[in-house]
């Protein structure tokens, strides 16, 4: 039996949605695979009163768990940030660590304006991301394949290889219209790509994963089922990889990758990154 990993509670504190704090914080935490992190996001902490409430929760967690939580913060207002000071947690101030160095380098004081980091003031960018998100949601798991003409990328692979969360990330963060199509045992009998995918071969991108990891993920969803058995996972992965290679579809192994890492690999692998830079 695999020994249980030590656990630590992590807070992501922000005066907006918390997306930036989560993205940077989670990226740093991936460097410590030997620890299981319990994550808690505290968004819209934009007043001193809310900061004190957030700090009370952090202090309470420290007292109950008898160890310091880790806090990633992107609070902009200096007074609000000062209200979060405490020795009961490890505070990592992502905003202050970067903005002060930039101010010194550029010789200018930053605006300290809330909400600029996500481009919400740019209505066109915001609307494009919402349109992409709506498309992705309606084209999840092989739905509405007759509208794949609009897709910019179509992720293909067996169930639970990370297709859906990656598509959602591409839509929300980059405005990419991403669809995904699950390969099932029925698709392997003909040894050819499913018919809905044939006209869109150039948009296809395969995801795969180690069978042991896949079995663990599936077991959490359907314990003790054939669907989650190691033997079945091995069989599906072998068949899916053979099918994708035969069709000359690029394949990405997602076993040890975060959603952010999968997404950026796909952006570069498909060349979509060039469009985002324009």
């Amino acid at each position: 039996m695999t020994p249980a990993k030590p656990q630590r509670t992590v807070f992501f504190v922000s005066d907006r949605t918390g997306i930036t704090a989560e993205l940077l914080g989670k990226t740093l935490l991936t460097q410590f695979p030997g620890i299981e992190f319990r994550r808690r996001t505290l968004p819209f902490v934009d007043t001193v009163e809310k900061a004190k409430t957030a700090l009370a929760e952090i202090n309470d967690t420290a007292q109950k768990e008898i160890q310091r939580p880790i806090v990633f913060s992107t609070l902009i207002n200096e007074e609000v940030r000062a209200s979060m000071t405490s020795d009961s947690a490890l505070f990592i101030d992502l905003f202050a660590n970067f903005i002060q160095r930039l101010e010194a380098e550029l010789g200018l004081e930053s605006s300290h304006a809330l909400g600029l980091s996500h481009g919400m003031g740019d209505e066109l960018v915001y609307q494009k991301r919402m349109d992409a998100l709506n498309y992705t949601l309606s084209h999840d798991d092989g739905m509405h394949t007759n509208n794949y003409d609009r897709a910019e990328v179509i992720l293909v692979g067996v169930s639970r290889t990370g297709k859906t969360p990656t598509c959602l990330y591409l839509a929300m963060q980059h405005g990419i219209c991403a669809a995904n199509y699950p390969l099932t045992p029925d698709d392997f009998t003909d040894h050819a790509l499913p018919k809905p995918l044939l006209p869109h071969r150039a948009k296809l991108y395969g995801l795969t994963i180690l069978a042991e990891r896949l079995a663990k993920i599936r077991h959490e969803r359907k314990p003790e089922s054939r669907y989650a058995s190691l033997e079945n996972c091995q069989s599906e992965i072998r068949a899916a990889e053979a099918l994708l290679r035969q069709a000359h579809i690029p394949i990405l192994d997602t076993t040890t990758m975060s959603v952010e890492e999968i997404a950026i690999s796909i952006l570069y692998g498909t060349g979509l990154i060039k469009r985002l830079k324009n």
Side-chain angles (χ1 to χ4, degrees):
M1 179 180 295
T2 304
K5 296 180 179 180
Q7 297 181 336
R8 293 291 292 270
T9 296
V10 179
F11 288 89
F12 303 101
V13 183
S14 172
D15 42 35
R16 302 304 294 170
T17 63
I19 292 176
T20 300
E22 289 182 0
L23 179 59
L24 292 174
K26 288 179 180 179
T27 300
L28 292 172
L29 294 178
T30 60
Q31 301 304 307
F32 304 92
I35 299 176
E36 180 180 340
F37 294 103
R38 295 184 293 261
R39 302 182 177 98
R40 176 89 169 88
T41 301
L42 303 179
F44 304 109
V45 181
D46 52 8
T47 66
V48 171
E49 291 72 21
K50 292 180 181 178
K52 291 179 178 178
T53 299
L55 184 60
E57 181 174 347
I58 293 168
N59 290 338
D60 183 60
T61 299
Q63 186 175 11
K64 289 180 179 178
E65 298 180 357
I66 319 178
Q67 62 178 348
R68 298 202 303 170
I70 299 169
V71 180
F72 291 100
S73 165
T74 53
L75 298 175
I76 293 176
N77 183 279
E78 293 183 5
E79 187 178 4
V80 174
R81 289 196 347 245
S83 302
M84 293 289 294
T85 303
S86 173
D87 292 331
S88 64
L90 170 63
F91 280 85
I92 300 177
D93 192 333
L94 298 171
F95 181 83
N97 288 345
F98 295 116
I99 205 68
Q100 291 173 0
R101 295 175 64 188
L102 282 171
E103 288 178 335
E105 180 68 24
L106 298 174
L108 295 171
E109 185 175 346
S110 66
S111 65
H112 283 63
L114 303 184
L116 297 181
S117 60
H118 301 299
M120 295 298 289
D122 188 338
E123 183 62 29
L124 292 177
V125 172
Y126 176 70
Q127 188 58 52
K128 182 177 181 180
R129 291 184 181 183
M130 291 303 99
D131 289 344
L133 179 58
N134 288 333
Y135 177 87
T136 294
L137 289 172
S138 62
H139 293 78
D140 181 43
D141 213 23
M143 295 189 295
H144 305 299
T145 58
N146 59 332
N147 198 23
Y148 275 177
D149 287 340
R150 192 184 164 201
E152 296 172 87
V153 64
I154 304 170
L155 303 188
V156 185
V158 300
S159 171
R160 315 305 286 183
T161 51
K163 299 185 299 300
T164 294
T166 302
C167 284
L168 292 173
Y169 184 88
L170 287 169
M172 290 189 293
Q173 293 295 319
H174 301 291
I176 298 293
C177 290
N180 72 79
Y181 190 98
L183 295 175
T184 68
D186 291 339
D187 296 316
F188 305 141
T189 56
D190 294 334
H191 303 287
L193 288 174
K195 290 182 179 180
L197 300 180
L198 292 175
H200 312 285
R201 186 188 300 260
K203 300 178 181 180
L204 303 183
Y205 210 94
L207 299 187
T208 191
I209 191 172
L210 286 179
E212 291 77 9
R213 175 61 177 158
L214 181 61
K216 182 178 180 180
I217 294 172
R218 288 184 172 184
H219 181 77
E220 293 174 357
R221 184 180 182 188
K222 294 185 178 180
E224 309 302 331
S225 64
R226 170 168 171 71
Y227 166 79
S229 71
L230 179 58
E231 180 182 4
N232 182 62
C233 291
Q234 291 171 331
S235 175
E236 286 191 26
I237 290 171
R238 280 196 302 266
E241 290 182 354
L243 181 61
L244 293 171
R245 290 194 183 99
Q246 178 182 310
H248 303 290
I249 306 302
I251 304 173
L252 178 66
D253 187 337
T254 66
T255 304
T256 61
M257 302 178 75
S258 66
V259 171
E260 295 87 352
E261 291 170 325
I262 298 170
I264 197 66
S265 297
I266 291 170
L267 289 175
Y268 276 96
T270 59
L272 286 171
I273 191 68
K274 296 178 182 177
R275 195 207 72 187
L276 298 180
K277 291 181 177 180
N278 291 336

